[in-house]
Amino acid sequence: MKQEKTILQEVLDRGFSRRDFLKMCTALAATLGLDYSQTNKVVNAMETKKRVPVIWLQMQDCTGCSESFIRSSQPKTESVLLEMISLEYSEVLSAPSGHYAEKSIKDVMEKYKGEYIVVVEGSIPSNDIYLMIAGKSARKELEHVCENAAAVLAYGSCSSWGGVAAAKPNPTGAVPVTDIIKNKPVIVVPGCPPIAEVMTGVIAHYVTFGVLPELDHLGRPKAFYRHRIHDKCNRRAYFDAGLFVENFDDEGSKQGYCLYKVGCKGPTTYNSCAEMRWNGGVSYPIQSGNPCIGCSEKDFWDNGPFFTRVAKIPGTQTTINPDVVGAAVVGATIAGVAAHGALTALDKKKKESKDK
Ligand code: SF4
């Protein structure tokens, strides 16, 4: 069971050429945000490193995160699954089931002590009766599987923050992974679901550099969560110009105006949707005409309802509203958003009075 072959050897053994291998490395380098001249680092890592064993646990989840993951396009999931990682246990993707699947977990824990990664999808109920896995409570299973792990990836908003199961009144007492696992590095990859390439990017970083990527104060990989959706949004020019969709079927909607007034949470949401987009970079919700619902932010269900304008910055008394000039704002970011709104609203009003 022990992986002896390097990733390059695995690739060649599967019938791919060295050219295919170099293409994969170039795609990985782009996902990691490395410039072209640094592709060699990825090539060197893949030529010398072995695949990373992964145990993928599913807790209180809808399997949306797995669905998103298997649609990764850069690198393609088959590249990640077959060449970079060795997926030893997954309730959705593993071939074995029952006792055989349980044996896979045991084998990995013994043979890859301190080397394997645990991916967790879904929140964990505080009350044990709500989720049992192979006769053990979800909490005990998580603690047990993480015992010998190198790191834990909380994949999706449920495992990162509690998600929909933790929304009021939180009947199962759902908690995120970080409430339970305190003695291992936990990387938080929120989103409902997260962007597949973010997950593959985190794994690729670990394989390439042998260390976890740099994280922000909430434990998210900085490379993918450093910008607000609003900062990179394709409709941002309309926000700055004070041109908003007022109703989903109005003329502004047809023109692709800013969705802020119909509830877009882009100004308060940190994620890579506007940069990486979905389905191989084809589109993302705002581009398709749907306001951002802030699914990667803490308590996003309770921050709703969706499609109503952001009344307050979550966790503060601060309002952001482009109709209200000079609203109280906190911090440079929020001040920037409000100032944009204020100035553009003023410009618009001036223009309207001139036109009259
Ligand atoms: S409010 Fe939403 S739609 Fe408008 S620019 Fe910001 S992120 Fe884009």
Side-chain angles (χ1 to χ4, degrees), residues 230 233 235-236 239 258-260 264 266-267 286:
H230 187 67
C233 179
R235 296 181 188 237
R236 177 58 185 265
F239 180 94
C258 171
L259 297 164
Y260 179 73
C264 184
I286 289 173

Side-chain angles (χ1 to χ4, degrees), residues 28-47:
L28 279 177
T31 303
L32 295 175
L34 302 176
D35 69 41
Y36 187 70
S37 63
Q38 297 194 65
T39 306
N40 268 353
K41 280 188 186 167
V42 180
V43 174
N44 288 341
M46 301 298 156
E47 281 176 340

Side-chain angles (χ1 to χ4, degrees), residues 99-179:
H99 294 297
Y100 293 106
E102 289 305 303
K103 184 174 178 306
S104 301
I105 292 185
K106 188 168 172 281
D107 290 347
V108 173
M109 289 184 66
E110 285 172 5
K111 293 176 184 174
Y112 298 117
K113 198 170 179 179
E115 293 175 34
Y116 66 90
I117 286 181
V118 177
V119 176
V120 185
E121 182 177 349
S123 61
I124 300 94
S126 298
N127 190 331
D128 289 351
I129 61 163
Y130 287 108
L131 181 60
M132 306 289 284
I133 301 168
K136 272 184 272 172
S137 76
R139 171 187 285 269
K140 287 204 176 104
E141 178 73 346
L142 176 64
E143 286 168 343
H144 169 65
V145 173
C146 291
E147 254 167 44
N148 299 341
V152 182
L153 243 79
Y155 190 51
S157 287
C158 292
S159 57
S160 298
W161 316 130
V164 61
K168 287 171 192 153
N170 192 357
T172 66
V175 294
V177 171
T178 44
D179 276 21

Side-chain angles (χ1 to χ4, degrees), residues 233-289:
C233 179
N234 63 307
R235 296 181 188 237
R236 177 58 185 265
Y238 292 115
F239 180 94
D240 293 347
L243 296 169
F244 297 98
V245 173
E246 305 282 344
N247 292 298
F248 284 109
D249 57 354
D250 67 9
E251 189 53 31
S253 168
K254 289 176 199 150
Q255 297 296 331
Y257 289 175
C258 171
L259 297 164
Y260 179 73
K261 288 191 179 178
V262 285
C264 184
K265 309 288 190 291
T268 55
T269 303
Y270 286 79
N271 208 338
S272 292
C273 304
E275 294 153 89
M276 304 182 83
R277 309 198 180 188
W278 290 76
N279 299 321
V282 172
S283 186
Y284 71 113
I286 289 173
Q287 190 177 342
S288 312

Side-chain angles (χ1 to χ4, degrees), residues 284-306:
Y284 71 113
I286 289 173
Q287 190 177 342
S288 312
N290 197 78
C292 168
I293 59 171
C295 75
S296 54
E297 291 300 306
K298 265 187 181 175
D299 305 325
F300 88 96
W301 285 97
D302 291 331
N303 291 338
F306 307 146

